[in-house]
Amino acid sequence: MSVAPPVEIEKKAVSFQNILLGAAIQTFEVSTLGQPFEVVKTHMAANRGDSIPTSLSKTYARGGVAGFYQGLIPWAWIEASTKGGVLMFVSSEIDYRARVAGLSNSWSGLLGGVGGGVAQAYTTMGFCTFMKTVEVTRHKSADASVSTWRIAYDVFQREGIRGLNRGVSAVALRQMTNWGSRFGISRVTESMFRGQDTTRKLETWERLSASAIGGALACWNQPLEVIRVEMQSQAKAADRPANLNLFSAAKYIYQKSGLLGFYRGVTPRVGLSVYLTVCMVFGGDSIKAYFSEKPKANH
């Protein structure tokens, strides 16, 4: 009785090309629909009494159509051009190592997403996320005319680097659960589409659907996002504690808005997550596969 040879595990190309690819995809994402979703989501998380129509109206009143792109240049561009590359590089490497170790595609994707998300938070996202939140929430501070550069300088003078990375612990938890869920759920959904034929190449609509489902269901961790926004917000209130941490921010949100306050802004975040996941998981995998096959076609 012949024994089938072991399936060779191919490693997706991890190179400088992948880093540039991740940066380009996320910069495209944030420059199109991503930033409007981000601004409305952040507004609702910071102003938990506002509905979606009210948030849209107030955002438009702050600057017209340009109000929906607050923080895009330079902060969102800096963040997108760096965090996308970090995610692609780290998640691809961890995914490959996990599959070599014998884990399934679903578990490998989950671990790759977790590792990529944590790497994003602690290498690139702290300062940029803080400054983007400043852009959306600073109109609630005593002097809304102060530039974000001045606010950043004042925070640095008072609190140093830690102040500029305020909320990074919440960002790390959000990112690791976000991308772990997104990649993991997307892989599970792809496996369901394949059924018994585990080697079948998925149709375009199947991969797109898997990516969108992964993005939407990854929003279960919205409380972490609301806590992150509260920690980084420039809003001033007499009863708002200074130097919020994860626990004091959560306590404050619950006291002011109840349990539902932790889910404010979840609707625009679902839209953002679906769009971002489709760009990164579906678009990223497709482009990486194209460049991986190109050298083979030339031989």
Side-chain angles (χ1 to χ4, degrees):
M1 180 177 179
S2 60
V3 179
V7 178
E8 182 181 353
I9 298 175
E10 291 189 6
K11 181 179 181 180
K12 292 179 181 178
V14 179
S15 62
F16 187 66
Q17 175 181 285
N18 272 11
I19 297 176
L20 291 178
L21 171 62
I25 291 174
Q26 287 218 343
T27 302
F28 166 81
E29 175 269 332
V30 78
S31 301
T32 50
L33 295 179
Q35 191 64 8
F37 277 129
E38 178 73 28
V39 168
V40 175
K41 174 199 71 172
T42 301
H43 177 97
M44 293 183 70
N47 304 272
R48 292 180 289 278
D50 289 356
S51 63
I52 291 179
T54 302
S55 299
L56 292 172
S57 176
K58 287 184 176 180
T59 300
Y60 186 80
R62 286 201 299 270
V65 174
F68 292 94
Y69 289 90
Q70 286 175 304
L72 175 65
I73 303 172
W75 311 119
W77 276 5
I78 294 172
E79 180 185 338
S81 63
T82 52
K83 75 175 184 178
V86 170
L87 176 68
M88 280 290 197
F89 185 84
V90 176
S91 64
S92 292
E93 189 68 22
I94 293 176
D95 175 86
Y96 171 70
R97 299 295 176 185
R99 285 185 290 121
V100 168
L103 295 182
S104 67
N105 284 339
S106 299
W107 277 106
S108 298
L110 186 149
L111 290 176
V114 167
V118 172
Q120 281 183 325
Y122 285 104
T123 57
T124 67
M125 292 187 65
F127 175 73
C128 289
T129 302
F130 171 72
M131 293 309 299
K132 287 195 304 176
T133 306
V134 166
E135 281 290 321
V136 178
T137 62
R138 68 192 177 103
H139 68 284
K140 297 181 69 178
S141 63
D143 186 1
S145 64
V146 176
S147 71
T148 54
W149 290 103
R150 182 67 198 183
I151 291 174
Y153 177 77
D154 290 343
V155 170
F156 181 76
Q157 287 289 95
R158 292 195 310 269
E159 306 171 46
I161 294 296
R162 288 189 63 182
L164 291 177
N165 281 279
R166 186 186 306 158
V168 71
S169 54
V171 173
L173 287 172
R174 184 197 69 180
Q175 291 302 103
M176 67 181 288
T177 50
N178 259 4
W179 285 109
S181 299
R182 284 170 173 171
F183 284 159
I185 294 171
S186 295
R187 296 283 177 82
V188 168
T189 307
E190 289 175 359
S191 297
M192 293 173 64
F193 281 138
R194 286 193 179 96
Q196 297 297 319
D197 187 0
T198 58
T199 60
R200 179 176 70 87
K201 186 175 181 179
L202 293 176
E203 300 289 338
T204 299
W205 72 267
E206 291 175 320
R207 299 184 64 202
L208 188 60
S209 298
S211 298
I213 291 169
L217 295 183
C219 291
W220 63 267
N221 68 353
Q222 179 65 9
L224 292 172
E225 172 65 1
V226 176
I227 291 170
R228 190 274 303 172
V229 171
E230 190 62 48
M231 291 175 70
Q232 297 178 333
S233 174
Q234 295 299 296
K236 306 295 182 184
D239 61 344
R240 187 174 186 266
N243 300 320
L244 290 169
N245 58 36
L246 278 168
F247 301 105
S248 59
K251 182 180 179 181
Y252 177 73
I253 292 166
Y254 183 76
Q255 289 174 341
K256 299 294 289 185
S257 309
L259 191 61
L260 291 179
F262 289 100
Y263 291 91
R264 298 301 296 163
V266 70
T267 301
R269 187 172 172 223
V270 168
L272 174 62
S273 294
V274 170
Y275 185 56
L276 174 58
T277 307
V278 168
C279 288
M280 290 300 291
V281 178
F282 173 70
D285 282 354
S286 297
I287 298 173
K288 280 198 293 184
Y290 169 77
F291 281 111
S292 294
E293 292 296 325
K294 196 173 181 180
K296 297 178 184 178
N298 292 333
H299 287 295

